Amino acid sequence: TPAGEAAFGAGRTIALPAGASLADAVQQSHAGDTLALAPGTYAVAAPIALHHRLTIAGHKGSGTTLRLAAGLARIEGGGGLQLEDIDIDASGVRADAALIAVRSGVAPNYCLSFGGVSVRGPGKAARLDGVVIAPGTFADAIDIAGSRFADMATVFVGTGEQEPKGWYPVERLTIEGSTFDRVAMVAD
């Protein structure tokens, strides 16, 4: 973790009861905090802006579901997201969207992590991309482990070579023990 930035899980653990507002909890959180979600369903009406590193965690095998109407998160300067043991139901998305959008101008060294995450997109009803990386941003790491992506378009958009030639927007993209079903492309 770069100097001055809180590592994932280095802050408080904040317990959220089923059905609580995830957007409100994110606004009240601080760098390094973990939102520990109880089993149940959490509705997310619009992408939530993240200005600091945050972990959103369910309990393995507990049925913690985020039900999306559009995207989940928008990474702003200083933001980063770690998702653990969460089911994401984006089957109701009806317009083109990104699960996580990284805004242009985001400071270098942001991180994204998916561990034990299951994402179900809308299939042919709409285009859902996983992580969309804007030009001019730079991720220190994007890690995916033990996760499943289904019924969506491209899982990572913007990971290819950008101008000037030889410049890539991700230092390290790691994918381990994950599956991709009815996905148009894993990385572009």
Side-chain angles (χ1 to χ4, degrees), residues 90-166:
S91 63
V93 171
R94 291 296 173 247
D96 292 353
L99 181 66
I100 299 171
V102 180
R103 304 276 294 216
S104 62
V106 169
N109 300 319
Y110 71 89
C111 295
L112 300 173
S113 176
F114 298 77
V117 174
S118 175
V119 179
R120 183 169 56 111
K124 295 181 181 182
R127 178 185 176 101
L128 177 73
D129 290 313
V131 176
V132 177
I133 302 168
T137 62
F138 186 76
D140 180 49
I142 298 176
D143 298 313
I144 303 163
S147 295
R148 180 177 182 271
F149 297 84
D151 300 317
M152 55 189 294
T154 305
V155 178
F156 296 100
V157 177
T159 56
E161 184 177 32
Q162 297 180 2
E163 294 297 328
K165 295 289 185 194

Side-chain angles (χ1 to χ4, degrees), residues 11-57:
R12 304 169 298 158
T13 297
I14 303 163
L16 263 67
S21 170
L22 191 58
D24 289 348
V26 168
Q27 284 183 339
Q28 295 170 17
S29 69
H30 300 286
D33 284 354
T34 297
L35 301 180
L37 279 56
T41 300
Y42 300 77
V44 180
I48 300 168
L50 287 171
H51 300 278
H52 54 270
R53 289 187 184 205
L54 181 70
T55 299
I56 300 175

Side-chain angles (χ1 to χ4, degrees), residues 168-185:
Y168 291 84
V170 179
E171 178 73 24
R172 186 184 76 242
L173 172 62
T174 305
I175 302 171
E176 298 177 324
S178 297
T179 60
F180 303 88
D181 301 316
R182 296 172 307 281
V183 168
M185 188 180 304

